[in-house]
Amino acid sequence: MGAATSKTIKEQTVEELGAGSSILVRQRHEHQEMDRLMDQYPTLFNHALTEETVLWPAVRASVPDGEELTARVEEEHRQINDLVVGNASKR
């Protein structure tokens, strides 16, 4: 007997992942959508990642009311992201 090889989620069929309503199928679809959006808007995603990992932690730590400020900005960004994803999914 040969060693069994495991397939990645990307390599498995919908049936292998537990059919259409499976969390794994939904996760794969969401990852595909994120990949597509990242390809379509690479600068936007690089900008957001830099803010979330570098800028906002520094603002929270060093600016008076930094928590409140970053919470407001992050909410605005979430609303923009929702618009981008909503518009992209209509295409």
Side-chain angles (χ1 to χ4, degrees), residues 40-56:
Q40 188 172 355
Y41 305 103
T43 303
L44 177 64
F45 280 91
N46 291 334
H47 172 94
L49 179 63
T50 301
E51 284 183 344
E52 291 173 10
T53 59
V54 178
L55 181 61
W56 300 140

Side-chain angles (χ1 to χ4, degrees), residues 1-88:
M1 282 188 168
T5 58
S6 59
K7 294 181 187 177
T8 65
I9 289 174
K10 187 176 182 178
E11 297 168 329
Q12 293 180 48
T13 67
V14 170
E15 291 75 26
E16 289 173 315
L17 292 172
S21 62
S22 162
I23 186 86
L24 296 174
V25 173
R26 291 194 315 256
Q27 180 185 26
R28 180 171 66 183
H29 175 73
E30 289 173 3
H31 281 243
Q32 289 168 338
E33 182 66 10
M34 285 300 298
D35 288 345
R36 188 184 67 71
L37 290 170
M38 288 173 63
D39 288 343
Q40 188 172 355
Y41 305 103
T43 303
L44 177 64
F45 280 91
N46 291 334
H47 172 94
L49 179 63
T50 301
E51 284 183 344
E52 291 173 10
T53 59
V54 178
L55 181 61
W56 300 140
V59 169
R60 282 193 280 283
S62 62
V63 173
D65 298 322
E67 287 288 338
E68 182 183 331
L69 173 65
T70 57
R72 270 196 330 267
V73 172
E74 289 172 336
E75 174 59 21
E76 290 171 0
H77 282 186
R78 187 197 60 73
Q79 291 172 2
I80 292 167
N81 290 341
D82 289 349
L83 288 172
V84 169
V85 170
N87 288 333

